[in-house]
Amino acid sequence: MSHRRDNKEAARAERLRREQEARRRQHRHNLMRWGGIGAVGLIAVALLTVAVVGGGNSTSQGAESMSGSTASGPALGTVAPNFSLTNVITGKPVTRASIAGHRTLLFFSEGVGCQPCIIQTADLEKSQAFARTGIRLVSITTDPPSALAQAAGQYAIRTPMLADPSTSMSAAYGMLGHGGMQHPTQDGHAFMLLDAKGRVLWHQAYSEMYIDPSQLLADMGPMA
């Protein structure tokens, strides 16, 4: 009898131990579950705040607010500065005079250290919608010619890519640190549209490193 009673007590103690452990596991699970929900809620609130603060913009998300000019570059309606840089694809110089006679979109980017920037050039070159506008594309970076030429070959880019390691053109056009990661000694991520006479028609900088060609055309509006 004593032996059976001991077995019952042992079984009861084991059952209580298991129930207590189960309750502890459930408690930990609830803490993790509600903690996760709380974290998600905080993230959602943060995202909503960003959306509200960044909302109300007629251009694409990531576009910097513009007043029609850069800090030190040409204003809308004015003639863009002269320049002379080497097209790393052909080895020939490109100047403001050589691109006259048609609208030209100048794309200033961070270059080979920014893969999306190089892809941006390649995708604009391939875009049929962009081609239909008749606008010609010229890309400018502060990379040395050899590095830029290598990137152009890797992505099969054929439109002019200008190397500006001295930052002469980039500084004159107010593009150093303008958009992108805002490195003060590099181009950022910005576009400037010139008319056939070299006057500035449109200009926009972006904090994003890649803008879909269709979005870029939408931001350009009637200028495209």
Side-chain angles (χ1 to χ4, degrees):
M1 293 291 294
S2 175
H3 179 69
R4 286 198 297 271
R5 187 166 52 250
D6 291 343
N7 287 342
K8 287 182 180 179
E9 290 294 332
R12 181 173 179 274
E14 177 64 18
R15 185 176 70 253
L16 292 173
R17 187 190 67 78
R18 290 179 180 178
E19 290 175 353
Q20 187 176 19
E21 178 61 27
R23 284 193 295 270
R24 282 198 296 265
R25 284 198 302 268
Q26 184 63 40
H27 181 64
R28 287 195 299 269
H29 174 74
N30 289 341
L31 287 175
M32 292 176 65
R33 177 172 177 266
W34 288 109
I37 291 174
V40 171
L42 289 174
I43 292 171
V45 169
L47 290 174
L48 180 60
T49 301
V50 170
V52 171
V53 172
N57 198 333
S58 59
T59 57
S60 65
Q61 183 180 3
E64 296 181 1
S65 176
M66 305 301 300
S67 60
S69 67
T70 63
S72 58
L76 293 178
T78 63
V79 176
N82 288 317
F83 66 89
S84 179
L85 293 175
T86 300
N87 176 5
V88 301
I89 296 173
T90 64
K92 296 180 179 180
V94 175
T95 66
R96 193 192 66 194
S98 71
I99 64 173
H102 50 77
R103 290 181 300 163
T104 301
L105 182 66
L106 302 176
F107 170 41
F108 295 81
S109 81
E110 294 184 14
V112 299
C114 169
Q115 186 181 36
C117 299
I118 302 299
I119 294 173
Q120 177 87 84
T121 299
D123 284 0
L124 281 170
E125 181 179 301
K126 297 174 195 172
S127 171
Q128 294 182 359
F130 182 75
R132 284 194 292 269
T133 66
I135 298 171
R136 300 189 185 182
L137 176 67
V138 174
S139 298
I140 305 97
T141 80
T142 56
D143 298 306
S146 58
L148 190 58
Q150 184 177 359
Q154 181 181 352
Y155 288 90
I157 295 171
R158 295 292 175 263
T159 53
M161 297 193 78
L162 310 186
D164 185 22
S166 70
T167 72
S168 59
M169 179 182 181
S170 302
Y173 279 69
M175 295 297 178
L176 295 177
H178 193 47
M181 298 298 291
Q182 299 183 330
H183 298 298
T185 59
Q186 288 180 276
D187 293 324
H189 200 95
F191 299 85
M192 184 175 287
L193 179 65
L194 306 183
D195 69 9
K197 295 183 179 181
R199 291 179 300 225
V200 180
L201 293 175
W202 175 84
H203 162 217
Q204 187 68 64
Y206 295 86
S207 58
E208 298 167 340
M209 294 300 192
Y210 179 88
I211 305 298
D212 189 272
S214 61
Q215 182 60 62
L216 182 63
L217 291 174
D219 288 351
M220 292 169 67
M223 297 299 177

